């Protein structure tokens, strides 16, 4: 510390933000003290703060035992200290280790990390924000080999008493490598510790020469921004937006929009070309721009970054190390799982199909084994296969899916088929039947009469003595309707080799026990000619052996339709793709110090990265989804057609969706403001618990930030965020009249509640049951290879002769099934760094607003109570759709989970 402490007058003392605000408290006589925070001074100087008697004069403060006189214009200088937490990489290759050592040595020589505090105030002389003296991180060299995941470094700043309150800190990385800055805590100011929650990669100046800016955890609306932070607030947002040109580098932090023009690769051949999604021709949400150059054969198609090449996302959106480790382990598992099936299919064509159900069962008991003759042949030609099989026996065996752990044959039963429509992987398509017969909305001149072929005589005998009209009036009839979403594509699907599909409708009856039973399945093909008798075919519950196998095949086609709509529409489109524009707009338009950005931040984690990976290996042309699901090359067009014709943001919230599907009616007297028409609907029952918790938390937060509609309307960043998400991110649907207004706190609460619901509970319900409930392929085949035979068909005789073999041959092949299983295994896995609903890594310091910290902890407690209530419901025998002999509990909405495949757990965001 330089020079003695210099104190001039009561006016100077009174103005200092480092001292108590009231001068009278400082000047109380014998026991008064003139104290800065003790941390400001070394121990040998702290005695200067002890004061026994103070006498004031117009020009000086006189301190007994020691009198210090100073010039009136010079403020007090003092030191504050920052604790800077840097996260280390757990695993480094040799090159990275060498680079780390070189950075440590260069730090010793002066190529170090430089920090500077920025005040919330403007210097009246320079009209620039007040800043501290620059400081460097100490002991980088000494701690170069420190153990542990995190290393805390110290920096000391010189500031003066007129500095004010720190509102930002700048960081300049003069090393050669990036580093991950987790947090900074500055102590020494009278206002207490100042927290900076960073969680960001700081690039070296050789890549990004400008200082990085991090704001404190004190939230500010744009109109409340302190003068010292206004310029930095605008500058940071401008950098994040970029200029919309050039190819993005992996080290960039730029958020921008592009269409889905990178799913195909026309340079490989016309069969790999895919239509551009996004625009007037095929409406679709926008994705994060990468700026890669166009392909050689199509200027409108962006060239691809094929796996394993990295694909751009803003640097801080990339997976952290624990997530990368989980995916790497999944990739190794997938490699081993797919290796032997591929070899079997290559060397033994007769093993292409499953011959019997025990072939599928053996995947979970022993893994796939090779015939001895084939083993000898392979081991002779490919010696490493022997070593893989010997050393990786456990990895070659698939985990047993939950769906067959309690009752191996439950999937064959009609009641289980129906139960999964309420408590399975895709519980969001079941609707109450409101018109009989069901009616299509497709163009009748192309697709024939709109009325379903299901007649009253088909179902009357299954209604427990009711008439169809009575069953409708008493809310007893329900439907899974995949007719309109599939039928326009059925001809193109069926023209592909090894793929067969229908547009299906399935009717269910609600029994007195509260369970559903299927009573009719309609299989529809486009009419080849007017009056074609095979265009619509109705099957009802079986009465003999032949009809039983036909019924099983019809149910398999329904499940295949369901699997496709689940993956392409409800999962990918509605929770991944439609969320991305809101995330991009949030980073472009909302400052990190904006209170709504602080609310949204944990619910945006990893989403851009997982969506980029999906474009690279899942939804791309000839990717996992096209290869593994019945629609094949039509997959993403089915997704886009739903977005064009059916997606509405105002109906994406749980209550609105339930009401739209006729599964609930508005009822203010009920706990959640609506009444379910089916009491035991596990997805809706548990979902409403989490929806209400999220809604209450968001409403509390928004009302604290926005007391009146005027404040919402005057918030320039908030309005820009929503407008850009709609007009740019969802440009193709932006003219729709159903978009919610953003003019009041209630409007904002509704929009935010929907976004948080989609990112957390809705995505979890649709994702983390994929392997536990869908890993046994016969239960839910993602792909069908044969139509249901009818008398007179060439296949009918072979079906009657061996229905068991025919059924298995209609399911995915060995390699198709095992590839699908390995992918959904990874997609159903929680990583060790997962953050669940009611958790956040900085739960006490994410905002300086202590009232909102308390409100968030109340929300977390409500989420924990929901977890306990779900456990209670799963033990209630009256709830037959989630409890009973061989019935799986419904835990996909249970918020907590350990790592791994658990069929439960609700992460804050779309992380996989």
């Amino acid at each position: 510390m330089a020079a003695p402490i210099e104190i001039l007058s009561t006016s100077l003392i009174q103005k200092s933000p480092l001292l108590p605000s009231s001068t009278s408290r400082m000047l109380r006589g014998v026991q008064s003290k003139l104290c800065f925070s003790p941390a400001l001074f070394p121990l040998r100087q702290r005695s200067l703060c002890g004061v026994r008697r103070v006498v004031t004069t117009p020009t000086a403060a006189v301190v007994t035992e020691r009198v210090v006189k100073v010039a009136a214009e010079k403020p007090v200088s003092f030191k504050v200290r920052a604790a800077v937490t840097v996260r280390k990489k757990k695993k480094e290759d040799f090159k990275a280790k060498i680079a780390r050592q070189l950075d440590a040595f260069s730090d010793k020589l002066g190529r170090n990390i430089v920090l500077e505090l920025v005040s919330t105030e403007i210097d009246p002389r320079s009209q620039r924000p007040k800043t501290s003296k620059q400081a460097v991180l100490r002991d980088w060299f000494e701690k170069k080999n420190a153990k542990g995941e995190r290393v805390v470094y110290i920096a000391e700043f010189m500031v003066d008493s007129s500095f004010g309150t720190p509102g930002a800190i700048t960081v300049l990385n003069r090393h050669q490598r990036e580093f991950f800055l987790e947090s900074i805590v500055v102590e020494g100011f009278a206002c207490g510790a100042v927290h900076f929650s960073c969680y960001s990669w700081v690039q070296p100046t050789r890549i990004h020469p400008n200082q990085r800016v991090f704001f404190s955890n004190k939230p500010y609306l744009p109109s409340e921004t302190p003068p010292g932070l206004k310029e930095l607030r605008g500058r940071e947002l401008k950098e994040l937006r970029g200029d919309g040109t050039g190819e993005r580098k992996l080290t960039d932090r730029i958020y921008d929009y592009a269409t889905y023009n990178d799913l195909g690769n026309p340079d490989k051949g016309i069969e790999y070309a895919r239509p551009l999604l996004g625009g007037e021709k095929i409406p679709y949400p926008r994705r994060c721009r990468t700026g890669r150059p166009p392909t050689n054969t199509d200027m409108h198609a962006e060239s691809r970054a094929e796996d394993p090449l990295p694909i751009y996302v803003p640097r801080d959106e990339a997976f952290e190390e624990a997530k990368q480790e989980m995916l790497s382990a999944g990739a190794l598992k997938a490699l081993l799982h797919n290796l032997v099936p591929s070899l079997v299919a290559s060397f033994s064509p007769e093993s292409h199909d499953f011959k019997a159900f025990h072939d599928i069962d053996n995947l979970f008991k022993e893994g796939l084994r090779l015939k001895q003759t084939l083993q000898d042949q392979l081991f002779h030609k490919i010696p490493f296969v022997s070593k893989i099989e010997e050393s990786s026996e456990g990895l070659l065996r698939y985990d047993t899916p939950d769906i067959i752990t309690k009752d191996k044959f439950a999937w064959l039963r009609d009641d289980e088929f129906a139960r999964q429509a309420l408590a399975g992987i895709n519980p969001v398509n079941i609707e109450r039947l409101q018109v009989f017969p069901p009616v299509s909305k497709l163009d009748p001149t192309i697709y024939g009469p709109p009325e379903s072929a299901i007649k009253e005589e088909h179902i009357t005998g299954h209604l427990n003595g009711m008439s169809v009209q009575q069953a409708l009036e008493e809310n007893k009839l329900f439907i899974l309707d995949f007719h309109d979403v599939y039928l326009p594509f059925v001809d193109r699907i069926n023209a592909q080799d090894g793929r067969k599909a229908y547009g299906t409708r399935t009717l269910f009856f609600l029994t007195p026990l509260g369970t559903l039973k299927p009573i009719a399945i309609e299989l529809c093909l486009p009419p080849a000619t007017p009056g074609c008798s095979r265009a619509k075919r109705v099957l009802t519950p079986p009465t003999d052996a032949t009809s039983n196998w036909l019924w099983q095949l019809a149910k398999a086609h329904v499940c295949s339709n369901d699997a496709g709509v689940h993956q392409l529409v409800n999962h990918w489109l509605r929770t991944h793709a439609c969320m991305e524009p809101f995330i991009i707009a949030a980073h472009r338009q909302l400052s990190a110090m904006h209170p709504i950005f602080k609310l949204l931040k944990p619910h945006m984690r990893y989403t851009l990265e997982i969506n980029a990976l999906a474009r690279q290996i899942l939804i791309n042309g000839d990717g996992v989804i096209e290869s593994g699901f019945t629609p094949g090359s039509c997959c993403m067009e089915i997704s886009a057609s739903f977005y064009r014709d059916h997606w509405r943001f105002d109906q994406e919230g749980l209550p609105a969706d339930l009401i739209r599907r006729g599964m609930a009616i508005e009822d203010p007297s009920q706990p959640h403001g609506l009444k379910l028409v089916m009491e035991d609907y596990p997805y809706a029952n548990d979902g409403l618990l989490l929806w209400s918790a999220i809604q209450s938390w968001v409403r509390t937060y928004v009302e604290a930030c926005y007391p009146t509609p005027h404040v919402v309307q005057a918030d320039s960043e908030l309005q820009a965020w929503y407008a850009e998400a709609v007009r740019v991110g969802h440009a193709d649907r932006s003219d729709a009249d159903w978009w919610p207004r953003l003019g009041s706190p209630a409007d904002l609460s509704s929009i935010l509640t929907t976004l948080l619901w989609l990112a957390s509970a809705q995505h979890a319900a649709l994702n983390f049951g994929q392997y536990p409930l869908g890993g046994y392929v016969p239960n839910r085949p993602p792909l069908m290879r044969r139509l249901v035979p009818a008398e007179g068909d060439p296949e009918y005789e072979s079906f009657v002769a061996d229905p068991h073999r025919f059924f298995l041959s209609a399911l995915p092949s060995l390699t198709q099934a095992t590839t699908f299983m390995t992918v959904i295994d990874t997609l159903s896995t929680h990583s060790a760094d997962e953050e669940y609903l009611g958790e956040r890594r900085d739960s006490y310091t994410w905002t300086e607003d202590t009232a909102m910290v308390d409100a968030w902890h109340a929300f977390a407690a409500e989420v924990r109570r929901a977890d306990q209530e779900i456990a209670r419901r799963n033990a209630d025998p009256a709830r037959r759709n989630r409890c009973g002999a061989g019935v799986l509990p419904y835990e996909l909405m249970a918020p907590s989970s350990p790592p791994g495949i658990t069929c439960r757990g609700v992460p804050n965001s779309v992380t996989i």
Side-chain angles (χ1 to χ4, degrees):
M1 178 134 181
I5 299 177
E6 298 174 326
I7 303 176
L8 180 58
S9 68
T10 57
S11 62
L12 176 61
I13 296 171
Q14 193 170 7
K15 289 179 182 178
S16 174
L18 306 167
L19 299 174
S21 58
S22 172
T23 305
S24 62
R25 291 179 187 169
M26 294 187 295
L27 308 177
R28 281 184 183 166
V30 178
Q31 298 301 325
S32 294
K33 293 185 178 182
L34 284 174
C35 271
F36 296 93
S37 175
L40 302 182
F41 309 110
L43 290 175
R44 60 188 176 84
Q45 293 178 322
R46 288 181 186 170
S47 61
L48 297 180
C49 289
V51 180
R52 294 186 180 177
R53 184 175 179 82
V54 178
V55 179
T56 61
T57 70
T59 58
V62 181
V63 183
T64 59
E65 298 187 35
R66 185 167 185 175
V67 178
V68 184
K69 295 183 180 180
V70 296
E73 297 299 322
K74 191 171 183 181
V76 176
S77 295
F78 61 93
K79 189 179 292 184
V80 295
R81 175 175 292 190
V84 180
T85 302
V86 173
R87 187 188 300 169
K88 294 172 56 180
K89 290 185 177 179
K90 295 178 184 177
K91 296 180 180 179
E92 292 180 316
D93 57 22
F94 179 74
K95 184 179 178 181
K97 290 178 181 178
I98 294 297
R100 175 165 51 82
Q101 295 296 327
L102 289 176
D103 270 345
F105 280 104
S106 66
D107 189 272
K108 192 79 170 174
L109 297 174
R111 297 284 301 174
N112 38 32
I113 312 297
V114 180
L115 300 90
E116 188 176 53
L117 289 174
V118 181
S119 172
T120 57
E121 299 178 5
I122 291 288
D123 187 322
R125 290 173 295 182
S126 67
Q127 293 301 302
R128 302 288 301 165
K130 297 177 181 178
T131 59
S132 68
K133 301 294 184 183
Q134 288 188 341
V136 299
L137 283 193
R138 297 191 336 211
D139 299 332
W140 192 282
F141 177 81
E142 288 74 12
K143 296 182 178 181
K144 65 181 184 297
N145 295 318
K147 304 297 182 183
E149 187 180 354
R150 293 169 177 82
V151 182
V152 179
Y153 301 95
I154 299 300
E156 293 183 337
F157 302 88
M158 292 300 300
V159 296
D160 59 51
S161 56
S162 66
F163 179 81
T165 303
I169 191 166
T170 64
V171 181
L172 198 65
N173 176 12
R174 299 197 296 189
H175 289 172
Q176 291 297 303
R177 299 193 314 158
E178 65 179 6
F179 68 90
F180 190 82
L181 179 58
E182 196 166 277
S183 65
I184 302 173
V185 181
V186 179
E187 293 184 316
F189 289 95
C191 61
V194 181
H195 293 267
F196 298 82
S197 184
C198 307
Y199 293 97
S200 180
W201 290 98
V202 180
Q203 300 302 322
T205 52
R206 65 182 178 83
I207 295 176
H208 290 286
N210 297 331
Q211 295 172 316
R212 280 294 307 279
V213 177
F214 297 97
F215 297 104
S216 75
N217 65 345
K218 184 175 178 60
Y220 296 101
L221 295 176
S223 61
E224 299 169 342
T225 310
L229 302 181
K230 284 184 177 179
E231 182 183 347
L232 287 178
R233 184 171 188 153
R235 189 182 85 187
E236 175 74 356
L237 285 174
K238 184 178 180 181
E239 288 183 5
L240 291 170
R241 291 181 196 127
D243 60 7
T245 64
E247 183 174 356
R248 298 274 61 85
K249 297 180 293 186
L250 296 177
T251 54
D252 287 345
R253 293 191 306 130
I254 294 174
Y255 297 77
D256 205 352
Y257 302 92
T259 57
Y260 281 76
N261 62 348
D262 63 343
L263 300 182
N265 190 351
D267 290 347
K268 287 178 64 177
I270 189 64
E271 66 272 23
Y272 294 99
R274 294 295 181 271
L276 183 153
L277 304 185
E280 185 176 347
K281 187 176 180 182
I282 306 181
Y284 212 64
R286 299 302 187 261
R287 48 95 174 177
C288 187
R289 180 184 178 275
T290 65
R292 294 190 301 270
T295 61
N296 296 323
T297 52
D298 184 351
M299 290 298 295
H300 299 291
E302 185 174 277
S303 57
R304 288 182 51 75
E306 299 287 3
D307 184 55
L309 293 176
I311 186 169
Y312 172 77
V313 292
R315 184 66 183 97
D316 291 340
E317 303 299 320
F319 292 149
E320 295 176 18
E321 206 164 1
K323 189 73 168 183
Q324 291 172 343
E325 288 175 359
M326 183 274 284
L327 291 175
S328 297
L332 174 61
K333 195 173 179 183
L335 174 66
L336 293 172
H337 274 162
N338 287 329
L339 174 64
V340 176
S342 299
L343 292 172
V344 169
S346 299
F347 285 85
S348 181
E350 69 276 8
S351 300
H352 184 69
D353 292 334
F354 294 110
K355 300 296 186 297
F357 285 105
H358 66 76
D359 289 342
I360 303 174
D361 297 340
N362 285 340
L363 293 175
F364 313 115
K365 294 177 181 178
E366 303 172 354
L368 192 63
R369 295 299 177 188
L370 304 177
K371 293 180 180 179
Q372 189 61 45
T373 55
L374 183 58
Q375 278 187 342
D376 294 341
Q377 184 182 9
L378 283 176
F379 294 168
H380 178 71
K381 294 181 178 179
I382 315 175
F384 77 89
V385 173
S386 174
K387 294 181 180 179
I388 288 178
E389 189 165 39
E390 291 170 4
S391 62
S392 307
E393 185 172 333
L395 288 174
L396 290 172
R397 184 172 58 248
Y398 292 80
D399 296 327
T400 303
D402 291 12
I403 196 68
I404 56 172
T405 55
K406 296 187 74 174
D407 185 345
K408 182 178 176 180
F409 302 106
W411 66 275
L412 286 165
R413 298 198 314 264
D414 284 359
D415 63 289
E416 177 63 16
F417 169 75
R419 189 192 70 84
Q420 291 186 37
L422 303 172
I425 306 171
N426 188 39
V428 298
N429 273 103
I430 188 78
E431 299 179 64
R432 179 167 57 88
L433 186 65
Q434 301 182 54
V435 175
F436 185 86
V439 178
S440 169
K441 295 180 181 178
L442 297 175
D443 185 348
T445 63
I446 300 174
Y447 300 104
E451 295 82 10
S452 167
I454 302 175
K455 306 299 182 185
E456 191 161 344
E457 56 265 27
H458 288 123
I459 64 173
T460 301
H462 303 282
L463 303 182
N464 287 12
M466 290 184 178
S467 67
V468 172
Q469 186 59 36
Q470 184 183 2
L472 282 173
E473 292 172 356
E474 296 187 20
N475 298 331
K476 299 294 185 182
L477 291 176
F478 297 83
I479 185 171
L480 280 179
D481 191 346
F482 300 121
H483 178 277
D484 287 9
V485 70
Y486 266 87
L487 200 64
F489 299 93
V490 164
D491 280 341
R492 289 173 56 193
I493 293 170
N494 292 344
Q496 299 176 58
D497 185 38
R499 295 168 193 273
K500 292 293 180 278
Y502 298 96
T504 65
R505 295 186 180 103
T506 308
L507 295 192
F508 300 89
F509 177 73
L510 180 62
T511 72
L513 295 176
T515 59
L516 292 178
K517 66 176 183 179
I519 57 176
I521 295 174
E522 182 179 18
L523 306 174
C524 300
L525 297 171
T529 56
C532 173
S533 61
R534 290 205 55 199
K536 296 180 179 181
R537 182 179 175 191
V538 178
L539 290 88
T540 55
T543 55
D544 60 18
T546 301
S547 61
N548 180 70
W549 279 106
L550 292 172
W551 180 248
Q552 294 296 345
L553 280 166
K555 288 195 298 182
H557 272 281
V558 173
C559 288
S560 178
N561 277 186
D562 190 72
V565 169
H566 160 259
Q567 200 67 265
L568 301 170
V569 174
N570 298 328
H571 181 199
W572 164 255
L573 173 68
R574 295 171 66 184
T575 67
H576 282 259
C578 288
M579 278 293 295
E580 186 159 346
F582 290 96
I583 295 171
I584 296 172
H587 285 90
R588 288 169 53 87
Q589 300 297 342
L590 296 176
S591 167
M593 67 175 78
H594 197 290
I596 299 306
F597 186 88
K598 292 181 180 295
L599 174 73
L600 287 172
K601 187 174 181 180
H603 303 283
M604 302 188 290
R605 185 182 186 222
Y606 289 162
T607 304
L608 296 189
E609 170 83 341
I610 195 60
N611 285 4
L613 289 176
R615 299 200 318 273
Q616 189 176 46
I617 62 175
L618 294 178
I619 64 171
N620 59 302
D622 204 35
V624 170
I625 301 299
E626 282 194 6
S627 301
F629 287 81
T630 301
S633 58
C634 300
C635 276
M636 292 307 292
E637 291 179 70
I638 288 177
S639 179
S641 70
F642 184 92
Y643 179 72
R644 178 194 64 213
D645 298 334
H646 302 291
W647 184 82
R648 291 179 51 160
F649 182 79
D650 64 325
Q651 293 182 347
E652 288 298 284
L654 179 59
D657 178 58
L658 292 171
I659 291 169
R660 176 187 65 82
R661 292 189 282 122
M663 299 301 289
I665 56 175
E666 292 186 70
D667 186 345
S669 67
Q670 295 295 312
H672 307 291
L674 50 77
K675 177 179 175 60
L676 295 176
V677 299
M678 185 185 302
E679 291 185 10
D680 186 13
Y681 182 7
Y683 160 79
N685 298 137
D686 296 357
L688 286 169
L689 288 177
L690 298 187
W691 171 271
S692 294
I694 294 169
Q695 183 183 52
S696 176
W697 153 236
V698 169
R699 185 179 294 146
T700 299
Y701 189 84
V702 166
E703 289 175 354
C705 299
Y706 298 93
T708 66
H710 172 73
V711 184
V712 172
Q713 296 161 16
D715 187 336
S716 57
E717 287 184 6
L718 182 74
Q719 294 294 333
W721 162 68
Y722 186 58
E724 183 176 282
V726 174
R727 295 172 189 166
V728 182
H730 286 279
D732 307 328
R733 304 299 312 277
S734 61
D735 292 336
D737 58 7
W738 41 254
W739 282 102
R741 293 180 63 255
L742 181 53
S744 69
D747 294 340
L748 179 57
S749 294
S750 176
I751 292 166
L752 292 172
T753 300
T754 297
L755 290 174
L756 267 60
W757 160 259
L758 291 171
S760 58
Q762 179 76 333
H763 176 261
L766 295 169
N767 184 77
F768 292 102
Q770 289 189 83
Y771 187 83
L773 305 182
Y776 186 70
V777 169
N779 173 60
R780 185 181 170 78
L783 183 151
M784 292 297 289
R785 295 186 291 155
R786 288 190 170 189
L787 295 175
V788 180
E791 287 190 59
D793 290 348
E795 292 184 325
Y796 191 77
E797 287 187 11
S798 61
F799 159 71
V800 173
D802 195 344
H804 171 264
R805 176 71 66 93
F806 188 94
F807 181 84
L808 288 173
S809 70
L811 303 184
S813 68
L814 169 67
T815 52
Q816 288 171 332
T818 53
T819 300
F820 170 74
M821 289 160 63
T822 56
V823 170
I824 62 172
D825 179 291
T826 300
L827 296 182
S828 303
T829 302
H830 291 293
S831 59
D833 69 340
E834 202 88 272
E835 294 173 9
Y836 297 96
L837 198 64
E839 298 177 355
R840 58 185 302 167
R841 59 178 84 187
D842 47 359
S843 61
Y844 286 94
T845 59
W846 62 276
T847 178
E848 190 191 65
D849 189 334
T850 56
M852 290 303 97
V853 171
D854 291 342
W856 181 86
H857 281 280
F859 162 66
E862 186 63 26
V863 171
R864 290 193 295 272
R865 284 191 289 272
D867 208 335
Q868 296 166 359
E869 172 61 17
I870 290 169
R872 186 194 66 78
R873 291 173 176 180
N874 283 324
D876 182 357
R879 298 175 182 267
R880 290 178 170 83
N881 290 315
R882 64 196 304 163
C883 182
V887 176
L888 289 179
Y890 186 74
E891 296 183 305
L892 287 169
M893 291 282 190
S896 62
S897 175
I901 300 175
T902 63
C903 203
R904 61 175 291 140
V906 179
N908 281 320
S909 58
V910 178
T911 61
I912 191 67

